[in-house]
Every structure is written in structure tokens, then in C-alpha cells.
Amino acid sequence: MNIHVLALLLVTLVWGATFPVLKIATAQLSGVEVSALRFMLAAVCMAPFALRLPRHTWRDGGLLGALVLVSYVAQAFGLEYISSNRSAFLTSLNVLMVPLLGMAFGARPTLVMLLAAALACAGIGLMSWDGGANLLADAATVFGALAYALYVIVLSQRAARHQPRQLAAAQIVWMAGLACVWMLLDAWGTDKLQTLPSRLNAEILWGLAYLGVVATAGMLFLQAWAQRAVAADKAALIYAMEPVFAALFAWMWLAEALTLRAALGGAMVVCAVVLSEWRPAPAEVAVQS
């Protein structure tokens, strides 16, 4: 595996830990509030890189930031009503959405990549599907997966046009601004803003720091750098490792079940990622005597 693939695997490891953190945070905060606060923290971290950005970086960063914001808010909303394992499974459907949507943009995924994507989704389903359906929360989470699939495609198309830190900074500033507006509109006519400080405790504040500084600012930079050299369908497949790590962290932190079935599903996802790295050996040319 090359360094770009390893960087994306690190991204999935960090993101896997966000599921239990989000589960804890959404016990007191809404999905919009969690997203706005994490993005504001991330924007503070990336502010030095947001100075004097080219216009095209602001434009592409705005599109990418809006897609990520919708994905994150939808995921955080869903976690208010469903388990982190179920959320991880539904979110992982973007693994199949990316190559299918990519066809509409002119991409031609290989048969190996499609098989690997299907194997990954099957493994995640085996690992994470636990019942506990909630129609609205499930629909929001799937919609978030669709938004993220579009994000992965657009990022792979446009990342090479920008310096990674500048593109990450532009995304995060847009995300912070849009999320703050969303939070204000959501709180209109209620006492949500007045009660916000009282709903924050040390555990939630540490969680928000992790979400904003590490999982958002740090990982969006790594994505912008790594996806310059990784195709969208392959990147989406690597991101399928996220629910594997999420299930592990949920078992460690939230005491959610990690059964033999879950372990088998996780092994299928790992096999799918390995399969995506497989390249058939070039056929030998026969030499006539």
C-alpha cells in the first residue's frame, strides 16, 4: 500500500472514534449544535491558512464544505435515535454510491472495485445491522451517506487544483459559517442558545475538541492531500474501514456488543480493502522461436 492509501486508512481510524463521541455529545446537544461547535473549533485551527486564498479555492471549498456539512449534520441527527453501529452501516452505503454515481460523471469502475465495494457493504451489514429501525433517522443517515458520496467524487476531481491545506481551510471556514447560520435558524423562537452553556460538560467539551481539531481540521487536510492521488471509488472503499473502527470503539467505550458475527463482517471489509489493491499480473508475451 502506498502512503496515500495509508493516510486515508488513518483518516478512517480517527473517524471511527467519532461515532461514540457523537453518541455521547448528542445526548445533550442537537446534531446541528454539535456540527456548528466542532466546525467553529476547526475553523480557528485553520484560520492562518484561510488568508488570501484564491477565488477558485473558495469556490470549490464552498461546494465541498456544503456537502460535508449536510453529511455530518444528517449523521449526527440520526445518532440521536439509532445506535452508532447502525449509523456506521447506513453511512457506509456511500461505498456503493460512489462508483454508481461516478458512472454518471463518466467514471468507469473496474469489476474488481465493484466486487470489493459489494463485499465491503456485505461485511458492514453483517457487522453492524442490529435492528432498532427509526424511519426518519435512517432516512437522514442514508441522505448523509449520499451527500458524502458526492463529496468524495468532487474531491477526487478537484483536489489536484489546490494546495491541500488551503482547500481544507476553505472547506472548514465555509462549514463553520453555514453551520452557525443553520444553528441560529434552528434555535429561532426557542431557548436553545440560552441553555447551550448549561448543556456542556467536561466530557462533551473534550469530545468537541477531538471532533473539531483532530477529526475535522486534521483529517480534512489529510483527505485533501491523499485524494490527489487516489481515485474516488478506491477512496470510498478505504473509508469502509470506518465502521470497523467505529464498532471497535463503540465496544470499548459504549459497551455495545461486538459479536463473532461482527468480527466476521469486519474481516470481510478488510478483505475488500486488500482486494481493491490487487492488480492482475501482466500477461506474458509468447516468444516464437
Side-chain angles (χ1 to χ4, degrees):
M1 291 187 181
N2 63 40
I3 191 171
H4 298 93
V5 171
L6 291 175
L8 292 182
L9 283 172
L10 175 60
V11 170
T12 66
L13 173 64
V14 172
W15 283 348
T18 66
F19 283 89
V21 174
L22 282 168
K23 190 68 176 177
I24 292 170
T26 52
Q28 297 294 331
L29 306 175
S30 70
V32 175
E33 289 170 334
V34 172
S35 299
L37 292 173
R38 73 184 284 188
F39 296 150
M40 283 191 284
L41 285 172
V44 171
C45 295
M46 300 299 290
F49 306 116
L51 302 175
R52 300 179 182 176
L53 291 180
R55 182 176 298 178
H56 72 286
T57 301
W58 281 118
R59 183 181 62 249
D60 287 352
L63 174 60
L64 291 165
L67 289 171
V68 174
L69 176 64
V70 170
S71 175
Y72 284 9
V73 171
Q75 181 192 78
F77 170 80
L79 278 166
E80 296 180 45
Y81 305 98
I82 59 178
S83 73
S84 58
N85 274 356
R86 185 179 181 88
S87 175
F89 166 67
L90 295 175
T91 300
S92 74
L93 293 178
N94 70 74
V95 176
L96 282 177
M97 293 177 182
V98 167
L100 295 177
L101 289 172
M103 292 180 187
F105 289 88
R108 292 293 180 267
T110 65
L111 178 60
V112 169
M113 194 63 65
L114 289 174
L115 289 174
L119 178 62
C121 281
I124 295 166
L126 186 63
M127 176 182 64
S128 302
W129 193 262
D130 61 353
N134 180 297
L135 181 60
L136 184 59
D138 287 352
T141 306
V142 171
F143 182 73
L146 175 61
Y148 202 78
L150 290 171
Y151 170 79
V152 172
I153 292 171
V154 175
L155 181 59
S156 283
Q157 291 176 340
R158 305 191 183 188
R161 306 176 187 176
H162 311 277
Q163 293 184 17
R165 63 185 180 184
Q166 289 186 334
L167 183 58
Q171 289 181 70
I172 289 169
V173 171
W174 272 109
M175 289 156 65
L178 292 171
C180 286
V181 172
W182 196 336
M183 182 174 69
L184 291 173
L185 292 175
D186 182 64
W188 189 270
T190 71
D191 63 347
K192 290 182 178 180
L193 291 180
Q194 289 87 341
T195 63
L196 181 58
S198 65
R199 289 183 280 127
L200 297 174
N201 57 40
E203 185 179 33
I204 291 176
L205 287 173
W206 278 112
L208 289 172
Y210 175 79
L211 292 171
V213 178
V214 180
T216 301
M219 294 307 103
L220 283 180
F221 167 75
L222 267 186
Q223 273 188 287
W225 173 75
Q227 279 200 232
R228 294 162 64 95
V230 180
D233 54 352
K234 183 166 185 171
L237 185 59
I238 295 169
Y239 296 148
M241 285 295 296
E242 179 183 356
V244 177
F245 293 125
L248 178 61
F249 286 122
W251 171 67
M252 294 169 57
W253 291 353
L254 302 179
E256 292 188 4
L258 185 63
T259 63
L260 179 60
R261 184 182 66 178
L264 177 59
M268 290 171 65
V269 176
V270 173
C271 288
V273 174
V274 173
L275 177 61
S276 74
E277 287 289 300
W278 177 75
R279 296 289 182 275
E284 295 184 1
V285 179
V287 179
Q288 294 181 351
S289 58

